[in-house]
Amino acid sequence: INIAVPSTGLQKVIEIDDEKRLQNLYERRMAQEIDGSVLGEEFAGYILRITGGNDKQGFPMRQGILCNHRVRLLMQKGHKGYRQRRAGERKRKSIRGCIVSQDIAVLNLAVVKMGDNTIAGLTDDSVPRRLGPKRANKIRKLFNLDKEDDVRKYVISRTFTNKKGKTVRKAPRIQRLVTPLVLQRKRARKAAKLASVLRNKEDKAAYTKLVAQRLAEQKEARRSLISKRRSTRKSAKIAAESS
């Protein structure tokens, strides 16, 4: 049984051979919370959540499959327990249900609530996080900063010596950081959008004016054609009467 404590960053593997104690874990589902006393007296007061596991052949448990045996599912990109090799590929793979059974070799548990007893290797120490947050707002939340504070001074970094013997400082690139350059680009995008709207209005007005001009020209040409036909008929009628 693999037990992890997210708050301290530690985990511990214990082996349980007593079938009576294991009976309390059977027929439990993933994400279900159990009392820690079923594992032993040292876990009294602890509340543990089942996060997963795998059987003797290494097939992992998967949430949502309500059975305690292995099944073969048609998987595609995005499914857990499957990595596609070609675009659009689907494959039928074996995976274990989310219910704990006797075939489970390793069961993963996470501590939800601490008990009174201190467990060696789990709650007696803490491992600091090597990587810190990258997003600007999350860095502000971690260090309780204001909007006026410079986030770049508080980013978590590490200094080490590389193979060439040179001291190197490594820090993550801050995401969603608002700088003067970002604001300048935002203003440029806004100005370009406004200029595009004004240009479209001008083009539409010019097009409407041109269409009206063409229609007027067509009306004038038709009016002149009709007047020409009338004058021709009138002259022909006069010539016929005179003869």
Side-chain angles (χ1 to χ4, degrees):
I1 294 179
N2 187 6
I3 304 173
V5 185
S7 58
T8 62
L10 297 173
Q11 65 178 14
K12 186 177 183 180
V13 179
I14 60 173
E15 293 187 7
I16 298 178
D17 297 327
D18 188 5
E19 190 65 27
K20 291 183 179 179
R21 290 160 68 185
L22 292 175
Q23 286 287 341
N24 298 314
L25 298 174
Y26 293 156
E27 302 303 322
R28 300 290 183 102
R29 294 183 186 178
M30 285 176 61
Q32 195 172 353
E33 295 181 356
I34 61 173
D35 190 6
S37 59
V38 301
L39 302 179
E41 293 295 331
E42 66 271 17
F43 290 99
Y46 282 78
I47 295 178
L48 308 171
R49 187 176 69 249
I50 301 174
T51 58
N54 55 275
D55 58 11
K56 298 171 184 176
Q57 286 76 29
F59 292 98
M61 298 171 66
R62 181 170 163 182
Q63 182 68 284
I65 304 173
L66 301 178
C67 62
N68 58 0
H69 52 84
R70 279 206 299 259
V71 292
R72 288 177 61 81
L73 298 181
L74 188 64
M75 297 190 183
Q76 61 184 6
K77 182 181 178 182
H79 288 179
K80 291 184 178 180
Y82 173 69
R83 181 171 62 89
Q84 73 168 9
R85 267 65 172 182
R86 299 177 64 183
E89 182 186 48
R90 294 191 303 168
K91 203 169 187 180
R92 196 169 291 279
K93 302 281 286 185
S94 292
I95 202 150
R96 181 160 285 279
C98 66
I99 300 176
V100 181
S101 67
Q102 298 177 352
D103 300 325
I104 297 295
V106 179
L107 190 65
N108 302 326
L109 304 175
V111 176
V112 177
K113 181 184 175 184
M114 294 270 196
D116 297 331
N117 300 330
T118 301
I119 302 172
L122 270 183
T123 58
D124 59 346
D125 196 5
S126 64
V127 176
R129 289 177 58 186
R130 191 177 71 86
L131 301 177
K134 287 185 67 175
R135 193 182 299 175
N137 282 338
K138 292 193 175 180
I139 296 173
R140 290 191 186 98
K141 185 179 179 182
L142 180 65
F143 293 101
N144 197 17
L145 304 177
D146 296 329
K147 292 225 172 179
E148 292 76 18
D149 295 328
D150 190 4
V151 181
R152 290 170 288 190
K153 296 179 181 178
Y154 294 91
V155 65
I156 297 176
S157 62
R158 63 189 181 99
T159 307
F160 63 96
T161 305
N162 60 9
K163 294 180 180 178
K164 296 180 180 178
K166 188 177 179 181
T167 303
V168 181
R169 178 180 175 271
K170 244 188 178 182
R173 186 184 177 197
I174 303 175
Q175 304 294 317
R176 303 186 189 179
L177 180 65
V178 180
T179 60
L181 183 61
V182 172
L183 295 176
Q184 177 184 344
R185 287 174 179 164
K186 188 176 180 180
R187 287 193 299 270
R189 285 196 303 270
K190 190 175 179 181
K193 193 173 182 180
L194 186 61
S196 175
V197 171
L198 294 175
R199 187 170 60 251
N200 290 340
K201 283 185 179 180
E202 292 174 0
D203 293 344
K204 185 180 179 181
Y207 177 73
T208 307
K209 185 179 178 181
L210 182 62
V211 168
Q213 181 184 350
R214 293 286 168 81
L215 288 174
E217 289 175 357
Q218 287 178 5
K219 285 182 180 180
E220 185 64 31
R222 183 171 178 78
R223 194 178 297 118
S224 63
L225 182 62
I226 291 172
S227 62
K228 276 183 183 180
R229 286 178 181 173
R230 284 177 180 173
S231 62
T232 305
R233 288 175 186 170
K234 193 174 182 181
S235 59
K237 188 177 180 181
I238 294 171
E241 288 178 353
S242 61
S243 62

